[in-house]
């Protein structure tokens, strides 16, 4: 009787020990799964951040190009305006010269 009780107690003890170890392993597995999930999420965030950085760089390049084009257009517009002004002055000068020639011709 004593022998059987000892054997049963040992089995019970062994079962408890295995249960404890299984619980511990399950907790470790759960923790590992949770960490994997968090790492995936972090990796997705890093990827998104990298993608956003790339898009921001592209947008900044576009903005810079737009500013450069605006500056060049302003410069071109100023040149066009200056050309028109000079044309107008040349026309006035030409008219004056023509008038002067006509007056000279009349006087002669």
């Amino acid at each position: 009787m004593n022998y059987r009780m000892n054997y049963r107690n040992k089995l019970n003890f062994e079962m408890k020990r295995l249960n404890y170890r299984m619980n511990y392993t399950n907790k470790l597995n759960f923790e590992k799964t949770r960490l994997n999930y968090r790492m995936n999420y972090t990796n997705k965030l890093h990827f998104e951040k990298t993608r956003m950085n790339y898009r921001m760089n592209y947008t900044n390049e576009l903005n810079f190009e737009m500013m450069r084009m605006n500056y060049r257009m302003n410069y071109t517009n100023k040149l066009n305006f200056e050309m028109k002004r000079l044309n107008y002055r040349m026309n006035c000068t030409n008219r004056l010269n023509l008038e002067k020639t006509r007056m000279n011709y009349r006087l002669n």
Side-chain angles (χ1 to χ4, degrees):
M1 189 73 159
N2 220 3
Y3 172 75
R4 285 178 78 188
M5 279 302 285
N6 280 346
Y7 183 68
R8 220 177 256 181
N9 284 343
K10 283 181 189 171
L11 282 181
N12 280 345
F13 175 75
E14 199 62 32
M15 280 293 286
K16 284 181 185 172
R17 196 168 71 82
L18 283 175
N19 272 345
Y20 174 77
R21 287 182 69 187
M22 277 304 289
N23 283 344
Y24 184 69
T25 306
N26 287 342
K27 284 179 189 168
L28 285 182
N29 283 344
F30 174 74
E31 200 61 31
K32 185 175 164 188
T33 306
R34 196 169 70 86
L35 283 176
N36 274 345
Y37 174 75
R38 287 181 68 187
M39 275 305 290
N40 284 346
Y41 184 68
T42 307
N43 286 344
K44 284 180 192 167
L45 286 181
H46 282 167
F47 174 74
E48 200 62 30
K49 185 175 166 189
T50 305
R51 196 168 69 86
M52 289 301 288
N53 275 345
Y54 174 75
R55 288 181 69 185
M56 275 305 289
N57 284 346
Y58 183 68
T59 306
N60 286 343
E61 283 169 19
L62 286 181
N63 283 344
F64 174 74
E65 200 62 30
M66 279 292 286
M67 284 165 63
R68 196 169 69 86
M69 289 300 288
N70 275 345
Y71 174 76
R72 287 180 69 187
M73 277 304 289
N74 284 344
Y75 185 69
T76 306
N77 287 342
K78 285 179 189 168
L79 286 181
N80 284 344
F81 175 74
E82 201 62 31
M83 280 291 286
K84 284 181 184 172
R85 197 166 69 86
L86 285 175
N87 275 343
Y88 175 75
R89 288 181 68 188
M90 279 302 289
N91 284 344
C92 287
T93 307
N94 287 344
R95 283 192 197 126
L96 286 177
N97 283 345
L98 177 68
E99 201 61 38
K100 185 175 166 189
T101 306
R102 279 180 65 215
M103 289 298 288
N104 277 343
Y105 177 72
R106 278 186 162 177
L107 281 175
N108 286 338

